[in-house]
Amino acid sequence: MRIALAQINTVVGDIAGNERLILDALEEARGTGAQLVLFPELAVTGYPPEDLLLKEHFLAAARDAVARIAEACTGIVAVVGFPERTDDVYNAAAICADGEVQAVYRKVHLPNYGVFDEIRYFQSGPGPAIFELDGVKVGVTICEDIWRPGTPETEEALAGATLIVNLSASPYTVGKARRRERMVGQRAADAIATYAFCALVGGQDELIFDGGSFVCDHEGRVIARAPLFTEHLLVCDVDPQAAASARLRDTRQRPAARDLVTEVAHLGSFAVGGEHRSDSPGGEIAEPLDELAEVYGALVLGTRDYTRKNGFGHVVLGLSGGIDSTLVVLVAADALGPENVTCVIMPSPYSSEGTQSDARTLAANLGTPVLELPIAGPMEAYTELLGPVFAEREPDLTEENLQARIRGNLLMALSNKFGWLVLTTGNKSEMSVGYSTLYGDSAGGFAVIKDVPKLLVYRLVEHRTTQDPQSPVPPEIVSRPPSAELRPDQRDDDSLPPYEILDRIIEGQIEEDLGRDQLIARGLPAEDVDRVQRLIDLAEYKRRQSPPGIKITSRAFGRDRRVPITNRFRG
Amino acid sequence: MRIALAQINTVVGDIAGNERLILDALEEARGTGAQLVLFPELAVTGYPPEDLLLKEHFLAAARDAVARIAEACTGIVAVVGFPERTDDVYNAAAICADGEVQAVYRKVHLPNYGVFDEIRYFQSGPGPAIFELDGVKVGVTICEDIWRPGTPETEEALAGATLIVNLSASPYTVGKARRRERMVGQRAADAIATYAFCALVGGQDELIFDGGSFVCDHEGRVIARAPLFTEHLLVCDVDPQAAASARLRDTRQRPAARDLVTEVAHLGSFAVGGEHRSDSPGGEIAEPLDELAEVYGALVLGTRDYTRKNGFGHVVLGLSGGIDSTLVVLVAADALGPENVTCVIMPSPYSSEGTQSDARTLAANLGTPVLELPIAGPMEAYTELLGPVFAEREPDLTEENLQARIRGNLLMALSNKFGWLVLTTGNKSEMSVGYSTLYGDSAGGFAVIKDVPKLLVYRLVEHRTTQDPQSPVPPEIVSRPPSAELRPDQRDDDSLPPYEILDRIIEGQIEEDLGRDQLIARGLPAEDVDRVQRLIDLAEYKRRQSPPGIKITSRAFGRDRRVPITNRFRG
């Protein structure tokens, strides 16, 4: 049997555009001789549509699109994710065959943790369901359904399904692709069935859907794999008879099948005259990526998709000669082409010659357009205006923040005048402790590296530069101690613990919800723990007003971590 | 029987502070001779604690506080809301008597819609439960439990409870107090039981908990009511025997009680030697507020609580002489005292004499401190710097936004230097269509009127000024056509439909999720509908970076309305 997994890049709310993507992939799949083509979870609407799901006219538009897609399903069966509006609303899969929606499977397990809010919108489906295609029983599942052991996939296999398909929209975190393959491989071995995992690809606000669709056989071996971070039609020959024969030999599964009491819905039997038979099951197997290539790829895809899906062709950022804006400009140039990335160098009297010249060199090496806008003039205008009000007070963070805000204003003025998207350059370490200026360096439309801790920023720049025989990055950018350059001789470690300590505290508190004592038990200095925990708690008001950015860790700021601003609990 | 409802103003995460509030109210209740004292939902932690509930050490601190509170419970029974950590986590009520936590009730119905995310954190409780106090059977419920007809309160009443208590944290919207009383009154009449609704009061980020605790008798009549928007210990005598006698005469309830199959947990029997018997059931009955007084009260409480709970004593805002900043300064002065509200007048060359002088008069009448910071200097500095880049391009929104951003910078500089909280002055109509400057007029810590539509802004100013024999508001502020004053002779209705049309479209689209056709069927002009719907969709990126503000409508921007930024669906 030949199957095709359509790893497509949908846009939330673009029902007409998604319909075209689906119809194109359907056509291509039919051309390969596939009997079955799979699409991602909620492919018709994009994922996650959030509160659009509360609108009747949105659900009606999705329904109409599914009906049109089904009309095109002749000579092939398609399983298409969509939100089904009946008396309730379900996260559903339409089984399309012979020009009609023949049946609907409804997702059983609704995730309502982390970035997910599915119980806000959907009712759980009643349970397992299978359909028959050219004599092969196929079990249907949607995303979370296979992330918990047991129902519905277990029962579908026991009811005879030798192929379990999964329509997925699985948000990227570091190493997720590897964990998915391990888990699904084990599920396949347990159920003695071929598993086909069809994944969404693309960026949607804070989320990256990384793709990496794959098929594993009934012993859990990956026999086909699509690449990460790009659209792909993965075609794979599978051998359902091999699973059936393995079950004949398995002494555990047959009594369990006999004793199965759960009702497994039968969604219909279809024949598409699949004559294809391959001697060798399997398909193309893309190479997996190492961790840094994976993260870098996620940043590039996220930046490209946020920019283009929101109607921008050009981005602008402040290039300081520091490591953070270096990573952002590398990512942006790879995402959009250097000609579509304007770098703005905005020196103040506190900017060193070294950082300015490194910024110029970097932009020149990359071939991006550059603007230079020294900020001394506006600094003086503010000082003159505010001088009498501030009277005898010493300069403090106020004056530092004003510099950052002038730079933010200039970038936003360029954005307004020329229609460019402003990329911000703050990393996760800074976002955590509030080491940034609200409406200053945090001002912009998209925060590319907001979930990337500082030490990982360095590793990613190194990763990217070693890809290039001639690195565009002046080595001083990597070797110079980090500084915000907002007062003379400033260094980040004047105000913060070394990043080797800071990043470990942040990971423990944000990703693992550890308390003070647990962090200290890990060998982190008590004084640093207390100070950083307090800073993290107090900076929530800044994070709440920061632009969206790409989630790469197990807990990002944004929808993923919902904490009150008004909050007196520390740690 | 005498009961006390402790309508307290907790702070999220301030477990020690909340414990003190609870112990003080407990002491006061005991002093009145009450046998039973009720506290709001999650009183120990404040509501909603959001992702703090994912921290073991947070839950442990809450458990320890409940144990200490229980120790103080002698001679009185207390029902105290807290998050219970067992093998799972429950939104729970501790029944505290004889110095110990005697039993725990667990909330059955977990709201997971609108602003609520309770399924993210809690497991549902197993069902109805009652305890016995001085011979009276008391049914326990928490908030949402009584917002759906049926279980658990129905079964608790059928199992003999003549008093149903509800621990609540009910977010304010216009008219909510009235709807609550109607609903609970009907529940009481249906169940033939006295209902005691103990509500949280106070502001928490975007939410106002309005208080208005009340008791209604078994015929649904309100017999005691606490005021809205303020802490209060509501003491009420109830007559459980009256409900028992009414049930004897009711021919419907007795067969239902006989046929009850649901198991109703028994949480214990307690005696506190309550000797009190009153001839007349009831207690103090606060007057209800009319709609405008209610909304105004919510704004004042929300502003005061956000400011103080976040450690600020003083606020600052830009006073333009327009209606929006007028409402905000009135609210702020009422919330914090005029001496704690600094008004900043920041005229540009486009500011009219009239608005500037009205702003001065208003501030002088209110007695607030005033600063004047004309922005021409920074405007020139930016123009000079950006001139060569902008070259031949005509002035456009860029230059208007720069003015707003200079003002934002000045307010933030004052905030940084003096530790003041910046209040923003944008209303819901502007927020909806993006008629504001990101990092400009939307820059600040708290957006007092972000959920107040423009026409309601006018009505609230009128309401507030008619309270005063000598209105502080110059009449021109109300009568002048609205203008942002960012270019010569600008008026809001140059860019937007009249507010009479705009506010109706916004209400339909935001609060009711109506589509284009439904809005037009209401008589709204198709052209305006199309334009406004598009503007609403496109402004999501601005709203996502705006400060929190007070929810007063059925759907506010913020946690209440979760829509994607990247979204091609229109309407």
Coordinates of all heavy atoms in Angstrom, one line a residue, chain A residues 205-239:
Chain A
D205 N 2.8 32.7 15.0 CA 3.0 33.6 16.2 C 4.2 33.0 17.0 O 5.3 33.0 16.5 CB 1.8 33.8 17.1 CG 0.7 34.7 16.4 OD1 1.0 35.2 15.3 OD2 -0.4 34.8 16.9
E206 N 4.0 32.5 18.2 CA 5.1 32.1 19.0 C 5.5 30.6 18.7 O 6.5 30.2 19.2 CB 4.7 32.2 20.5 CG 4.3 33.6 20.9 CD 4.0 33.7 22.4 OE1 3.5 32.8 23.0 OE2 4.3 34.8 22.9
L207 N 4.7 29.9 18.0 CA 4.9 28.5 17.8 C 5.6 28.2 16.5 O 5.2 28.8 15.5 CB 3.6 27.7 17.9 CG 2.8 27.9 19.2 CD1 1.6 27.1 19.2 CD2 3.7 27.6 20.4
I208 N 6.5 27.2 16.5 CA 7.0 26.6 15.3 C 6.5 25.2 15.2 O 6.6 24.4 16.2 CB 8.6 26.5 15.3 CG1 9.1 27.9 15.5 CG2 9.1 25.9 14.1 CD1 8.8 28.9 14.4
F209 N 5.9 24.8 14.1 CA 5.6 23.5 13.8 C 6.7 23.0 12.9 O 6.9 23.5 11.8 CB 4.2 23.3 13.2 CG 3.1 23.9 14.2 CD1 2.7 25.2 14.1 CD2 2.7 23.1 15.2 CE1 1.8 25.7 15.0 CE2 1.8 23.6 16.2 CZ 1.3 24.9 16.0
D210 N 7.4 22.0 13.4 CA 8.7 21.7 12.8 C 8.6 20.7 11.7 O 9.6 20.4 11.0 CB 9.7 21.3 13.8 CG 9.3 20.1 14.7 OD1 8.1 19.8 14.7 OD2 10.2 19.5 15.4
G211 N 7.4 20.1 11.4 CA 7.4 19.1 10.4 C 8.0 17.8 10.9 O 7.7 17.3 12.0
G212 N 8.9 17.2 10.0 CA 9.5 15.9 10.4 C 8.5 14.8 10.4 O 8.5 13.9 11.3
S213 N 7.5 14.8 9.5 CA 6.6 13.7 9.4 C 7.3 12.4 9.1 O 8.4 12.4 8.5 CB 5.7 13.9 8.1 OG 4.9 15.1 8.3
F214 N 6.8 11.3 9.6 CA 7.5 10.0 9.4 C 6.6 8.9 9.5 O 5.4 9.0 9.9 CB 8.6 9.9 10.5 CG 8.2 9.8 11.9 CD1 7.9 8.5 12.5 CD2 7.9 10.9 12.6 CE1 7.5 8.4 13.8 CE2 7.5 10.8 13.9 CZ 7.2 9.6 14.5
V215 N 7.1 7.7 9.0 CA 6.4 6.5 9.1 C 7.3 5.5 9.8 O 8.5 5.4 9.5 CB 6.0 6.0 7.7 CG1 5.3 4.6 7.7 CG2 5.2 7.0 6.9
C216 N 6.7 4.7 10.7 CA 7.6 3.6 11.3 C 6.8 2.3 11.1 O 5.5 2.3 11.2 CB 8.0 3.9 12.7 SG 6.8 4.2 13.9
D217 N 7.5 1.3 11.0 CA 6.9 0.0 10.7 C 6.4 -0.6 12.1 O 6.6 0.0 13.1 CB 7.8 -0.9 9.9 CG 9.0 -1.4 10.7 OD1 9.1 -1.2 11.9 OD2 9.9 -2.0 10.1
H218 N 5.9 -1.8 12.0 CA 5.3 -2.4 13.2 C 6.3 -2.9 14.2 O 6.0 -3.4 15.2 CB 4.4 -3.6 12.7 CG 5.2 -4.7 12.1 ND1 5.6 -4.7 10.8 CD2 5.6 -5.9 12.6 CE1 6.3 -5.8 10.5 NE2 6.3 -6.5 11.6
E219 N 7.6 -2.8 13.9 CA 8.6 -3.0 14.9 C 9.2 -1.7 15.4 O 10.1 -1.7 16.2 CB 9.7 -3.9 14.3 CG 9.2 -5.3 13.9 CD 10.2 -6.3 13.4 OE1 11.4 -5.9 13.2 OE2 9.9 -7.4 13.2
G220 N 8.7 -0.6 14.9 CA 9.1 0.7 15.5 C 10.2 1.3 14.8 O 10.8 2.3 15.2
R221 N 10.6 0.8 13.6 CA 11.7 1.4 12.8 C 11.2 2.5 11.9 O 10.2 2.2 11.2 CB 12.4 0.3 12.0 CG 13.3 -0.7 12.7 CD 13.8 -1.8 11.7 NE 12.6 -2.5 11.1 CZ 12.6 -3.8 11.1 NH1 13.5 -4.6 11.5 NH2 11.5 -4.4 10.5
V222 N 11.9 3.6 11.9 CA 11.5 4.7 11.0 C 11.8 4.2 9.6 O 13.0 3.9 9.2 CB 12.3 6.0 11.3 CG1 12.0 7.0 10.2 CG2 11.8 6.5 12.7
I223 N 10.8 4.2 8.7 CA 11.1 3.7 7.3 C 10.9 4.9 6.3 O 11.2 4.7 5.1 CB 10.1 2.5 6.9 CG1 8.7 2.9 7.1 CG2 10.5 1.3 7.8 CD1 7.7 1.8 6.5
A224 N 10.4 6.0 6.8 CA 10.4 7.2 5.9 C 10.3 8.4 6.8 O 9.7 8.4 7.9 CB 9.2 7.2 5.0
R225 N 11.0 9.5 6.4 CA 11.0 10.7 7.2 C 11.2 11.9 6.3 O 12.0 12.0 5.5 CB 12.2 10.6 8.2 CG 12.3 11.9 9.1 CD 13.7 12.0 9.8 NE 13.9 10.9 10.8 CZ 14.9 10.1 10.8 NH1 15.9 10.2 9.9 NH2 15.0 9.2 11.8
A226 N 10.3 12.9 6.6 CA 10.4 14.2 5.8 C 11.4 15.1 6.5 O 11.6 14.9 7.7 CB 9.0 14.8 5.8
P227 N 11.9 16.0 5.8 CA 12.8 17.0 6.5 C 12.1 17.9 7.5 O 10.9 18.0 7.4 CB 13.4 17.8 5.4 CG 12.5 17.6 4.2 CD 11.8 16.3 4.4
L228 N 12.8 18.5 8.4 CA 12.3 19.5 9.3 C 12.2 20.8 8.6 O 13.0 21.1 7.7 CB 13.2 19.6 10.6 CG 13.3 18.4 11.5 CD1 14.3 18.7 12.6 CD2 11.9 18.1 12.1
F229 N 11.2 21.6 9.1 CA 11.2 23.1 8.7 C 10.9 23.4 7.3 O 11.1 24.5 6.9 CB 12.5 23.8 9.2 CG 12.8 23.5 10.6 CD1 14.1 23.0 10.9 CD2 11.9 23.8 11.6 CE1 14.4 22.8 12.3 CE2 12.3 23.6 12.9 CZ 13.5 23.0 13.2
T230 N 10.4 22.4 6.5 CA 10.0 22.8 5.1 C 8.8 21.9 4.7 O 8.6 20.8 5.2 CB 11.3 22.5 4.2 OG1 10.9 22.9 2.9 CG2 11.7 21.1 4.2
E231 N 8.1 22.4 3.7 CA 7.0 21.7 3.2 C 7.5 20.5 2.5 O 8.6 20.5 1.8 CB 6.1 22.5 2.3 CG 5.3 23.6 3.0 CD 4.2 24.2 2.1 OE1 4.6 24.8 1.1 OE2 3.0 24.0 2.4
H232 N 6.7 19.4 2.5 CA 7.2 18.1 1.9 C 6.0 17.2 1.7 O 5.2 17.1 2.6 CB 8.3 17.5 2.7 CG 9.1 16.4 2.0 ND1 10.1 16.7 1.2 CD2 8.9 15.1 2.1 CE1 10.6 15.6 0.7 NE2 9.9 14.6 1.2
L233 N 6.0 16.5 0.6 CA 5.1 15.4 0.4 C 5.9 14.1 0.6 O 6.7 13.7 -0.2 CB 4.4 15.4 -0.9 CG 3.3 14.3 -1.1 CD1 2.0 14.8 -0.4 CD2 3.0 14.0 -2.5
L234 N 5.7 13.4 1.7 CA 6.4 12.2 2.0 C 5.6 11.0 1.5 O 4.5 10.8 2.0 CB 6.6 12.1 3.5 CG 7.5 10.9 4.0 CD1 8.9 11.0 3.5 CD2 7.4 10.8 5.5
V235 N 6.2 10.3 0.6 CA 5.5 9.1 0.0 C 6.2 7.9 0.6 O 7.4 7.8 0.6 CB 5.6 9.1 -1.5 CG1 4.9 7.9 -2.1 CG2 4.9 10.4 -2.0
C236 N 5.4 6.9 1.0 CA 6.0 5.7 1.6 C 5.1 4.5 1.3 O 3.9 4.5 1.3 CB 6.0 5.9 3.2 SG 6.7 4.6 4.1
D237 N 5.8 3.4 1.0 CA 5.1 2.1 0.8 C 5.1 1.4 2.1 O 6.1 1.3 2.8 CB 5.8 1.3 -0.3 CG 5.7 1.9 -1.7 OD1 4.6 2.5 -1.9 OD2 6.6 1.8 -2.5
V238 N 3.9 0.9 2.5 CA 3.8 0.2 3.7 C 3.3 -1.2 3.4 O 2.7 -1.5 2.4 CB 2.9 0.9 4.7 CG1 3.5 2.3 5.1 CG2 1.5 1.0 4.2
D239 N 3.6 -2.2 4.3 CA 3.2 -3.6 4.1 C 2.3 -4.0 5.3 O 2.8 -4.6 6.3 CB 4.5 -4.4 4.0 CG 4.2 -5.9 3.8 OD1 3.0 -6.2 3.7 OD2 5.1 -6.7 3.8

